[in-house]
Amino acid sequence: MRVVTAGADLLADAVAAQAVDVDRVDWRPPMPGTEDDLATVAADPARPAANERALAAVLGVTARLVDVAPAAEVLGLGRGEFLHAGPPITWDRASGPLRGGLMAGAALEGLVEDPEDAVALFESGDASLEPCHHRGTVGPMAGVVTPSMWMFVLEDPATGRRTHCSLNEGLGKVLRYGAYSPDVLTRLRWMGDVLGPLLRAAVRAAEPVDVTGILTQMLQMGDEAHNRNRAGTLMLLRDLAPAMIASGHDPADVAEAVRFVGANDHFFLNLAMPACKLALDAARGIEGSTMVVAMARNGTDFGIQVAGTGEEWFTGPAQLADGLFLGDYGPDDANPDIGDSAITETAGIGGFAMATAPAIVRLVGGTVPDALATTRRMHEITLGENPRWTVPVLDFQGTPTGIDVTRVCRTGILPQINTGMAGRVAGVGQVGAGLVTPPAEVFPAALARLAELARGRAAGRPPERR
């Protein structure tokens, strides 16, 4: 006889004590209040084919690095225009690290002499704020992009679609963690004057860098491509270094650029992110699909977007990460979760590929068994696997791909995200790294909208766009 149990272990322990085999199932009822919407969406005849099409679209995209150029040139950003991570937000609701990043950006653009003076600029409404996602871009942490910042440009060779991301500054006191001290601005100006033009010369002189191919290799070399990008960074450097050396730029500048990239284990993150967005954007606008195409946070709100609901954001309060802190920092110093980097988990790597990166668990405060269990658990809320991105320790199983809103609501399992932690106060910078999940309520909200659209289709009504 075998017994299957769910919930508290009291019954399972009692039966096991009587030498009976017990299968303990981690089952829980659907999220409260979602039963009717789950039934409606499950019965939607458009859903199966739409999700199959959405997943195929994501898996069919490959990303190549084809250019490096200023944001003013490739995004059309003008003076006084700022991009930021996460869903839309205004200055009065912006978190400390987002405010710090914007203040640094204003000083970088010469809009103010001192970053502290930028507060009045943003309070006056003379500067505009817009999510990176709305301009085909993703930004780590604060995600602030200004016109003079240099951007990686990635392209899907089959369609010509492009996505973008700024250059990675490193860890610690950097703009993306909300720091704006003089050394932060000095580094950013060097990146604009030296690193950006040098990378552009190298990329344009060499064959386009196969970013998707590097992701495939790095996942088998111990990177999960969110909090660990060491192998990916070195493979990128291997591809670009010869062209950098042969570029004709000052050898001292080339040497400094190679040192900067090689010493920054997170440099490739800013290529992994737009590669993931390029894939996920291919699934946007597929009517009836319940697949998540973006998860992003601005330090105040956590938002998701879904393939079948257009550009609408479903938001809830950003959560505090659980992990390890740098130096004397503690939980009271950390800001709620921030950044577009959860695009990696949305595409099936990062926290979803924890099993392939056991070395990362000490940085984020977990264990190796936790990492294996996390990747296995994410398969329960996804539509399929990515055969290109595989996990050796799981017998080369593909990474779980295509977060399904209905599966999240039905199981109560939330996506697992690896993240850095920014200081709560503007100007502090990074205070730690850890693990976090989205606020649970964003998934029932998205499900309710999907159900509303499904009922409209059944009644023959045209969809009402929001």
Side-chain angles (χ1 to χ4, degrees), residues 250-275:
D250 186 330
D253 287 341
V254 174
E256 182 58 25
V258 170
R259 269 194 298 269
F260 178 80
V261 174
N264 178 4
D265 289 345
H266 281 66
F267 197 77
F268 191 81
L269 170 64
N270 291 37
L271 287 164
M273 289 173 57

Side-chain angles (χ1 to χ4, degrees), residues 199-283:
L199 288 172
R200 175 170 66 181
V203 169
R204 289 183 176 180
E207 291 291 322
V209 177
D210 183 356
V211 176
T212 301
I214 291 179
L215 280 164
T216 299
Q217 296 176 65
M218 63 193 281
L219 287 172
Q220 298 189 17
M221 297 167 69
D223 286 352
E224 39 73 89
H226 189 167
N227 260 339
R228 183 180 168 89
N229 288 272
R230 180 169 296 179
T233 296
L234 294 177
M235 282 188 280
L236 175 70
L237 200 55
R238 176 198 62 185
D239 285 358
L240 291 182
M244 292 168 73
I245 294 169
S247 66
H249 285 237
D250 186 330
D253 287 341
V254 174
E256 182 58 25
V258 170
R259 269 194 298 269
F260 178 80
V261 174
N264 178 4
D265 289 345
H266 281 66
F267 197 77
F268 191 81
L269 170 64
N270 291 37
L271 287 164
M273 289 173 57
C276 291
K277 177 169 175 59
L278 192 61
L280 290 159
D281 279 359

Side-chain angles (χ1 to χ4, degrees), residues 262-350:
N264 178 4
D265 289 345
H266 281 66
F267 197 77
F268 191 81
L269 170 64
N270 291 37
L271 287 164
M273 289 173 57
C276 291
K277 177 169 175 59
L278 192 61
L280 290 159
D281 279 359
R284 286 180 179 267
I286 297 180
E287 189 175 65
S289 173
T290 57
M291 194 180 81
V292 177
V293 294
M295 296 194 294
R297 335 60 123 195
N298 54 38
T300 302
D301 308 312
F302 190 116
I304 66 171
Q305 294 180 304
V306 181
T309 57
E311 301 301 313
E312 188 173 353
W313 287 97
F314 304 95
T315 62
Q319 308 291 294
L320 283 167
D322 182 18
L324 299 178
F325 293 89
L326 304 176
D328 295 330
Y329 292 121
D332 291 341
D333 300 308
N335 193 79
D337 196 23
I338 185 170
D340 287 335
S341 56
I343 195 72
T344 57
E345 279 80 8
T346 317
I349 51 179

Side-chain angles (χ1 to χ4, degrees), residues 24-245:
R24 302 172 192 246
V25 177
D26 183 18
W27 180 88
R28 65 197 73 183
M31 290 181 173
T34 61
E35 295 84 355
D36 289 345
D37 289 336
L38 275 172
T40 298
V41 175
D44 181 6
R47 183 177 63 95
N51 278 342
E52 185 176 342
R53 183 180 156 204
L55 182 62
V58 169
L59 298 179
V61 171
T62 57
R64 295 186 176 188
L65 173 62
V66 295
D67 204 359
V68 185
E73 179 180 328
V74 294
L75 301 178
L77 274 190
R79 187 172 175 81
E81 292 183 319
F82 294 79
L83 303 186
H84 64 81
I89 194 167
T90 52
W91 172 260
D92 60 305
R93 296 187 65 245
S95 63
L98 177 52
R99 287 188 173 203
L102 291 168
M103 291 159 66
L108 181 68
E109 296 301 317
L111 297 174
V112 293
E113 186 72 25
D114 187 318
E116 297 284 354
D117 297 335
V119 174
L121 170 72
F122 290 106
E123 286 180 342
S124 70
D126 289 339
S128 68
L129 306 183
E130 183 181 7
C132 289
H133 270 287
H134 293 187
R135 294 278 190 119
T137 302
V138 276
M141 302 307 290
V144 171
V145 177
T146 65
S148 68
M149 288 184 179
W150 285 68
M151 311 290 291
F152 288 125
V153 181
L154 273 63
E155 182 177 279
D156 176 12
T159 63
R161 288 188 305 103
R162 292 186 168 190
T163 53
H164 316 83
C165 189
S166 57
L167 311 182
N168 193 285
E169 315 159 69
L171 296 175
K173 280 192 173 297
V174 290
L175 177 148
R176 75 177 190 279
Y177 278 99
Y180 53 75
S181 53
D183 55 319
V184 173
L185 294 173
T186 298
R187 185 188 308 111
L188 288 169
R189 289 176 180 129
W190 173 79
M191 292 171 70
D193 294 340
V194 177
L195 183 63
L198 180 55
L199 288 172
R200 175 170 66 181
V203 169
R204 289 183 176 180
E207 291 291 322
V209 177
D210 183 356
V211 176
T212 301
I214 291 179
L215 280 164
T216 299
Q217 296 176 65
M218 63 193 281
L219 287 172
Q220 298 189 17
M221 297 167 69
D223 286 352
E224 39 73 89
H226 189 167
N227 260 339
R228 183 180 168 89
N229 288 272
R230 180 169 296 179
T233 296
L234 294 177
M235 282 188 280
L236 175 70
L237 200 55
R238 176 198 62 185
D239 285 358
L240 291 182
M244 292 168 73
I245 294 169

